Amino acid sequence: MTVLRLAGLVKRFGANPVLRGIDLTVERGERIAILGASGSGKSTLLRCINFMELPDEGRVEFGGQVVGSERDGRRRYAERELTQIRRQVGMVFQHFNLFPHMTALGNVMEGPLTVLGQDRVQAEARGRAELARVGLADKADAYPAHLSGGQKQRVAIARALAMDPALLLFDEPTSALDPALVGEVLGTIRALAEDGRTMLLVTHELGFAYHVASRVLFLADGLIHEQGTPAEVLKEPRQAATRAFIASHKQFSL
Amino acid sequence: MRWDFATVIEHADVLAIGAVGTLRIFAICLVLGLGLGLPVGLGRYARNPWLRAPATAFVEFFRNTPVLVQIIWFFFALPILLPFQIGPLTAAVLGISLNSAAFSAEIYRGGIQSIERGQWDGARALGMSWLQAMRRVILPQAIKRMLPALANRAIEIFKMSTLASAVAYVELLQQGKLIASLYYNPIEVYTAVAAIFSVILWPLVQLSYWLERRLKGGE
Ligand SMILES: Nc1ncnc2c1ncn2[C@@H]1O[C@H](COP(=O)(O)OP(=O)(O)O)[C@@H](O)[C@H]1O
Ligand SMILES: [Mg+2]
């Protein structure tokens, strides 16, 4: 079953063409690692998928439905439709973006409570279950300020999971963490992968991508420069740019 | 000279009536001024020019005219255009509230803008509408940061209430004027009025200091 299909996706910021025509099909259960140099448009790609940025051209199909409607040769997006899509797409950010005025449990309950309209009892049960899944059942009443970076990111993952997303987007989830805390977050993501979750993961952890991803994309010049299985892209890259990128990650050992 | 506070104390009831009037107009203007400021502030912040332009015009107009002129305009000029009279309380409330709304709108706008973009991202990615994100995520954090400034605004509103005496609304200063004109003791009366203001305002000012300290400690 196809979860997501992008066709000819273009995004510009002013005169800066960040994405120049991305075609991508994501099947259920796929785990796609997205690599690319800083500024190559990885975040922009993820943000176009959940419409935090509106694509300038191209089509996004979500669950078989084309998003937006064509009018006067341009695609128009209704806010209500986009909100509906974001409910089904979970996003995890580099800087967590937890709500500092809510406890860990409050953060995880917030989606079910406010967005899905569940009652408190139901939302709390769901929140506690998701916190337990990421190994933080005992931190339910802690505020983000009192959590480590790794714990914050796991709460953020639980917050996304509480919405039952059909697709998970991770934008460099370990880049802001102390090296010592990276492992616990990668472990959590790996467990989700083993659960069969569909995910797109922007990362610089090439070793993790190699072991966990089902497919690897290399983004350059606003295009998917190269893609394939982890072994193909990471071990025998065909493109010079991909080779240079992988060589620059010296700590990468398979 | 000899101070004669006896006459003032004798007419404490007149001042008490004034104090009640002051507190009443303060309460009304506080609720209206800070309450109206929020939608205006949101309008100032809106991307939609049909919301932003009128909100900006409102803020500019009321920030750039003296409150006293507004009160007098509402009391003497507006009734000429309208089929009904406007009482001193209404005129003063209009002037003070609209002016306070303009100033507090800027506080709200600044407070909302001070919240990091990541908070919007976190809320929007969950599927929240703009209004839900504002209500559940942005405002609760912004209000905390705005409290010291809002407390200062409340103090200003309290002091502005004396302007209502210009249209003979019964409040502290107005009652003081009354006593002073009957007994020729302006020094004692106005000293007493100033003292009463200072005593009533003292806890409010302390609250604003406390809020400021707490905010600095929390950052
Ligand atoms: N909101 C924005 N406004 C203008 N330019 C942006 C915006 N977001 C990203 N860009 C630009 O788009 C390019 C790609 O950014 P990004 O998608 O964040 O790259 P990556 O995540 O791969 O580092 C950069 O040149 C960046 O400056
Ligand atoms: Mg990025």
Side-chain angles (χ1 to χ4, degrees), chain A residues 13 16 18 36-45 53 171-172, chain B residues 117:
Chain A
F13 288 112
N16 178 12
V18 177
S38 170
S40 60
K42 305 179 297 295
S43 296
T44 304
L45 175 59
E53 301 286 354
D171 193 357
E172 301 198 33
Chain B
R117 204 180 98 145

Side-chain angles (χ1 to χ4, degrees), chain A residues 11-19 39 56:
Chain A
K11 177 67 187 176
R12 300 178 204 93
F13 288 112
N16 178 12
V18 177
L19 302 176
D56 292 311

Side-chain angles (χ1 to χ4, degrees), chain B residues 143-209:
Chain B
I143 295 270
K144 216 158 111 189
R145 292 185 195 179
M146 293 183 292
L147 276 178
L150 290 176
N152 277 326
R153 204 59 342 246
I155 294 166
E156 285 305 314
I157 292 175
F158 204 104
K159 294 186 199 166
M160 270 195 282
S161 68
T162 53
L163 295 175
S165 66
V167 290
Y169 170 72
V170 177
E171 49 75 61
L172 258 173
L173 182 59
Q174 176 67 13
Q175 295 297 83
K177 275 191 212 167
L178 185 69
I179 301 174
S181 67
L182 290 176
Y183 299 96
Y184 307 107
N185 53 353
I187 295 184
E188 291 86 345
V189 172
Y190 292 131
T191 306
V193 166
I196 295 171
F197 266 108
S198 153
V199 166
I200 300 180
L201 271 171
W202 192 82
L204 201 53
V205 172
Q206 294 308 307
L207 174 74
S208 84
Y209 289 156

Side-chain angles (χ1 to χ4, degrees), chain A residues 47 50 52-53 79 83 86-87 89 91 93 97-102 110-111 113-115 159 163, chain B residues 116-130 132-133 135-138 140-141 144-145:
Chain A
R47 293 174 65 88
N50 72 353
M52 309 259 281
E53 301 286 354
E79 190 54 35
T83 306
R86 291 188 200 113
R87 289 175 192 189
V89 179
M91 189 159 194
F93 304 88
N97 299 349
L98 288 182
F99 308 136
H101 58 303
M102 299 179 189
E110 188 54 26
L113 203 61
T114 300
V115 178
R159 178 174 71 177
M163 295 293 289
Chain B
E116 308 68 38
R117 204 180 98 145
Q119 291 294 306
W120 281 103
D121 283 354
R124 303 290 270 156
L126 277 181
M128 285 193 194
S129 66
W130 186 89
Q132 286 172 328
R135 188 168 57 83
R136 297 287 304 173
V137 176
I138 306 302
Q141 297 181 63
K144 216 158 111 189
R145 292 185 195 179

